[in-house]
Amino acid sequence: MAHTCLLLAMNPAIQQKAYQEVQQFIETENSYIDADILRKLVYIEAVLKESMRLLPVGSLISRKNLQDIVLDGHIIPKNTPLLMKPYSLHRRPDIWGSDAEQFVPERFLGEDSKRRHPYAFIPFSGGPRGCIGLRYAMMTLKIMLALILKNFEISTQLKYRDLRIHYQLSLNLAGPHAVSLERRR
């Protein structure tokens, strides 16, 4: 959520579009947000996914192959530890386009998102070993973001080009998120 708020603060036009969607479906700050409303918040979901694409919380995913794998003519023997780095996968121009480094939530809307390989976007891992909390996490994040946008405008002095990543168990910024919240009137 912190990464999403920072990216929205850096992109006021996208923040405004997300806020307009929230305004359309959530009438008051005390409105009950049910599953029907969550389904309607498609742009909010796209914003969250794009945030997780650029700044995925999980910095490394490790697996061990259960059988030999032939990959590009090379044999990877059974029981080899394999590491995947979502940060790099999520920035590949051959998958995400020449603007892969930019924050563009629309890439998760429409036909492009349906044609993309299902494992091109793995912020919660994927396949049989994927995170079982994915749906719960997305529902929670959508509610949190909708309520933040409903009540606050987010701003920052930070520039995207100046962000530095610090890899730990999770992906973090090397410096503070430094966002400001101003109550909407």
Side-chain angles (χ1 to χ4, degrees), residues 96-114:
W96 300 99
S98 59
D99 63 349
E101 292 287 332
Q102 296 175 15
F103 184 63
V104 182
E106 287 77 10
R107 72 178 85 241
F108 285 96
L109 303 172
E111 291 303 311
D112 284 347
S113 66
K114 293 175 186 166

Side-chain angles (χ1 to χ4, degrees), residues 36-62:
D36 185 50
I37 289 173
L38 286 178
R39 277 190 289 280
K40 293 175 183 175
L41 296 175
V42 294
Y43 193 70
I44 293 294
E45 184 171 322
V47 165
L48 287 163
K49 286 180 176 180
E50 182 68 348
S51 298
M52 289 185 275
R53 183 186 72 81
L54 288 173
L55 298 169
V57 174
S59 57
L60 285 175
I61 299 171
S62 65

Side-chain angles (χ1 to χ4, degrees), residues 15-76:
Q15 182 180 169
Q16 182 61 27
K17 189 172 179 178
Y19 171 68
Q20 288 171 345
E21 182 180 74
V22 169
Q23 284 292 90
Q24 181 181 358
F25 297 113
I26 302 173
E27 295 175 13
T28 69
E29 63 185 48
N30 297 320
S31 293
Y32 180 74
I33 302 172
D34 61 14
D36 185 50
I37 289 173
L38 286 178
R39 277 190 289 280
K40 293 175 183 175
L41 296 175
V42 294
Y43 193 70
I44 293 294
E45 184 171 322
V47 165
L48 287 163
K49 286 180 176 180
E50 182 68 348
S51 298
M52 289 185 275
R53 183 186 72 81
L54 288 173
L55 298 169
V57 174
S59 57
L60 285 175
I61 299 171
S62 65
R63 297 287 184 266
K64 189 187 307 183
N65 56 325
L66 299 177
Q67 59 192 28
D68 289 353
I69 298 172
V70 178
L71 183 64
D72 291 334
H74 302 280
I75 297 174
I76 301 172

Side-chain angles (χ1 to χ4, degrees), residues 74-135:
H74 302 280
I75 297 174
I76 301 172
K78 177 181 176 179
N79 293 323
T80 300
L82 304 170
L83 294 175
M84 294 163 276
K85 188 176 171 189
Y87 183 88
S88 297
L89 172 65
H90 292 171
R91 292 165 180 268
R92 285 181 46 179
D94 60 320
I95 296 171
W96 300 99
S98 59
D99 63 349
E101 292 287 332
Q102 296 175 15
F103 184 63
V104 182
E106 287 77 10
R107 72 178 85 241
F108 285 96
L109 303 172
E111 291 303 311
D112 284 347
S113 66
K114 293 175 186 166
R115 286 192 295 266
R116 195 173 299 118
H117 192 282
Y119 295 120
F121 178 64
I122 54 169
F124 293 93
S125 189
R129 296 291 310 266
C131 177
I132 62 171
L134 166 65
R135 292 177 63 129

